[in-house]
Amino acid sequence: MFLFRRGPKRVTVQQAAERTGAEGDAVLLDVREQREWQVGHAPHAVHLPLTLLAAGAALPNVAQGRRLVVICRSGGRSRRAAVLLAGRGADVVDVAGGMQAWAAAGLPVVERRGRAGSIA
C-alpha cells in the first residue's frame, strides 16, 4: 500500500515567533537570497539561501543540531528547504505565508544594519 507523505508541518508566523523567540527552542532560518535578506529579515533569524542549501551547504553553526523553523518571502522556497532538511534528518517546520505574513502580522523586520526593514 502506498502512503502519501505531506512533508514537514507548516506553522503560522505567530507560532514561528514563539518557537524562535527568547523563550523558544528553535532557530529561524531564512532561505531567501542575499539581496532580500539585506532589505529586511526577522531580527533573530540566521541566513542560508536556498540555492546554497540545495547545493549541499552546511547549516550555520548556530542552527546545527537544533530545531529549525524555515522562512522565505511567501512560503514556497521555505517549503522546499524544509523538505530538503527533513531528508537530511533535521527537525524542521516551515512558515506559511513567509516574511510577507510576518510583516503583515506586525512582527519586527530589520535591514542589514539593524534599522527598520521591509519585505521586497
Side-chain angles (χ1 to χ4, degrees):
M1 177 180 193
F2 175 75
L3 296 176
F4 181 73
R5 289 182 160 217
R6 293 180 181 229
K9 182 180 174 188
R10 298 198 102 172
V11 296
T12 66
V13 292
Q14 291 82 7
Q15 291 169 319
E18 289 172 11
R19 290 182 182 195
T20 62
E23 302 288 321
D25 64 346
V27 171
L28 185 63
L29 180 67
D30 191 319
V31 296
R32 295 174 300 144
E33 294 302 316
Q34 185 68 28
R35 182 192 62 75
E36 295 172 287
W37 166 264
Q38 289 178 338
V39 173
H41 58 273
H44 54 280
V46 295
H47 184 229
L48 179 61
L50 177 60
T51 52
L52 296 178
L53 183 64
L59 289 170
N61 287 340
V62 69
Q64 291 182 9
R66 306 260 320 268
R67 287 183 163 172
L68 301 172
V69 176
V70 184
I71 196 165
C72 66
R73 183 171 190 245
S74 62
R77 287 176 283 179
S78 64
R79 187 72 186 152
R80 291 192 300 273
V83 168
L84 186 121
L85 289 164
R88 293 183 186 178
D91 182 359
V92 60
V93 297
D94 79 293
V95 181
M99 286 300 298
Q100 288 177 327
W102 182 279
L107 293 167
V109 176
V110 297
E111 51 96 60
R112 65 186 171 111
R113 293 185 187 108
R115 294 179 285 200
S118 64
I119 305 306

